Amino acid sequence: MATPPPGAMPQRRAMPPQRYLGPPRYAVTPRWGFPNLTWRSPTAVPGTASDVQSPVQRLRVIARSTFGSLWFLACLALVAGAAEIWRYVLLVQSRNSALTTNVVEASDTLVVTAGLLATIFSLVPAGLTLWWLFVARVAAADAADEEPSRTSREVLLGMLVPGLNLVMAGSIMAELEHSVLRRSPDRRPTPSRLVFTWWGLWVLNWLLLVTALWWRMRDGIQAMADSVVLVALTDFAAAALAIVTAILVRRTTELLAPITLTKATARQVLKVTGAPEPELRPTRPFGTRR
């Protein structure tokens, strides 16, 4: 390899350091620059397309509220079911012995309070879950680059109309899961075990609710005792349905939006063990261009 001898190439003249003359000046206001706002992640500039949240971003927010409300409803339903079991135990004990007034009043207060709270609060997770379902369908359709298989009106009627919702609810959730998993549109949706479990609990909960309301219209002491058991079973079925719905909401949301800002944290390499030594850079001959 031929290399020029030392001193054959002209040396570069060292540039003297320039004196600082202050910030740059412009004859007119520059047309470039950053928007006049505080930067944040993700950046959303008001008045632009980035100001509107995508369906996946809205899905994360709705799923967080839906998940918490469903677990709170499950706790209320478990308390209401336990109160009904306590009432049934007191009914059995009253056959052979008299009950104290304080115990009966405490049982009645717990049954009424837990039942009313569970019934009234159930409207909140029901509305949030329905809202989550509509947003999840849009997010799944956008991710798969296709149109939803059903219209919003058909989904609303299929979830709220009594009798029809026993059949349509499972089909709607199966179609949502089919779209989330990016399966072929020509293939028939096959519900997973989780969706089948949710569908069975959905049907069981409605059947127990209708049976308990119809049984309470009957006369007789035995009918009253049986209605207590049916209400307790309805409360426990509602708790199970709320828990499985929360799991289904979380699983579907994680499939549509697997990465969140809280999980995407910066990492730093502290130590490397067992790696081969890096190859050293060969020396550059004098006078060659960089």
Side-chain angles (χ1 to χ4, degrees):
M1 180 182 296
T3 58
M9 301 295 295
Q11 300 292 332
R12 295 181 180 179
R13 292 190 307 172
M15 298 294 294
Q18 297 182 358
R19 187 169 57 89
Y20 178 69
L21 301 178
R25 299 179 181 179
Y26 302 93
V28 295
T29 304
R31 295 180 179 274
W32 57 268
F34 298 108
N36 187 18
L37 51 85
T38 303
W39 291 97
R40 53 198 177 272
S41 182
T43 304
V45 182
T48 62
S50 61
D51 190 24
V52 181
Q53 287 186 338
S54 62
V56 174
Q57 293 175 344
R58 288 188 288 130
L59 185 67
R60 292 194 187 104
V61 179
I62 300 171
R64 193 180 304 115
S65 303
T66 305
F67 186 79
S69 63
L70 285 170
W71 275 102
F72 187 72
L73 175 62
C75 294
L76 287 178
L78 288 175
V79 173
E84 295 290 344
I85 294 298
W86 186 21
R87 169 178 282 186
Y88 186 78
V89 171
L90 294 179
L91 289 175
V92 174
Q93 292 180 354
S94 64
R95 297 176 57 186
N96 301 323
S97 60
L99 301 176
T100 59
T101 307
N102 296 332
V103 174
V104 175
E105 290 180 353
S107 176
D108 292 340
T109 303
L110 183 60
V111 168
V112 174
T113 303
L116 286 177
L117 288 177
T119 303
I120 296 174
F121 185 79
S122 62
L123 300 177
V124 176
L128 288 175
T129 305
L130 194 61
W131 186 15
W132 170 87
L133 177 61
F134 281 104
V135 178
R137 292 177 66 254
V138 176
D142 291 345
D145 195 15
E146 58 184 19
E147 294 293 332
S149 57
R150 299 179 187 271
T151 63
S152 300
R153 181 180 180 182
E154 292 176 352
V155 174
L156 186 64
L157 295 176
M159 296 297 295
L160 296 181
V161 175
L164 181 63
N165 57 3
L166 298 180
V167 180
M168 295 297 298
S171 301
I172 292 172
M173 296 304 298
E175 292 171 359
L176 174 61
E177 183 186 43
H178 186 87
S179 179
V180 168
L181 295 178
R182 306 287 183 87
R183 293 173 179 173
S184 175
D186 301 331
R187 181 181 174 185
R188 184 176 182 179
T190 303
S192 62
R193 185 176 301 178
L194 179 60
V195 175
F196 265 124
T197 304
W198 179 87
W199 196 358
L201 290 174
W202 172 267
V203 175
L204 178 64
N205 188 76
W206 279 100
L207 292 180
L208 286 175
L209 179 62
V210 173
T211 304
L213 293 176
W214 173 73
W215 206 270
R216 281 198 167 189
M217 299 179 182
R218 301 181 62 181
D219 299 329
I221 299 177
Q222 186 61 41
M224 295 175 59
D226 295 339
S227 65
V228 173
V229 178
L230 288 175
V231 172
L233 293 177
T234 305
D235 293 334
F236 290 141
L241 178 62
I243 293 174
V244 176
T245 304
I247 297 174
L248 184 60
V249 167
R250 184 171 184 177
R251 175 179 176 269
T252 306
T253 304
E254 289 179 351
L255 289 175
L256 287 172
I259 300 178
T260 59
L261 296 177
T262 58
K263 295 181 180 180
T265 56
R267 296 185 178 182
Q268 182 180 4
V269 178
L270 300 179
K271 184 179 180 182
V272 179
T273 305
E277 293 293 335
E279 183 181 356
L280 296 178
R281 180 180 179 182
T283 58
R284 182 172 59 89
F286 178 79
T288 57
R289 288 190 174 184
R290 293 183 178 272

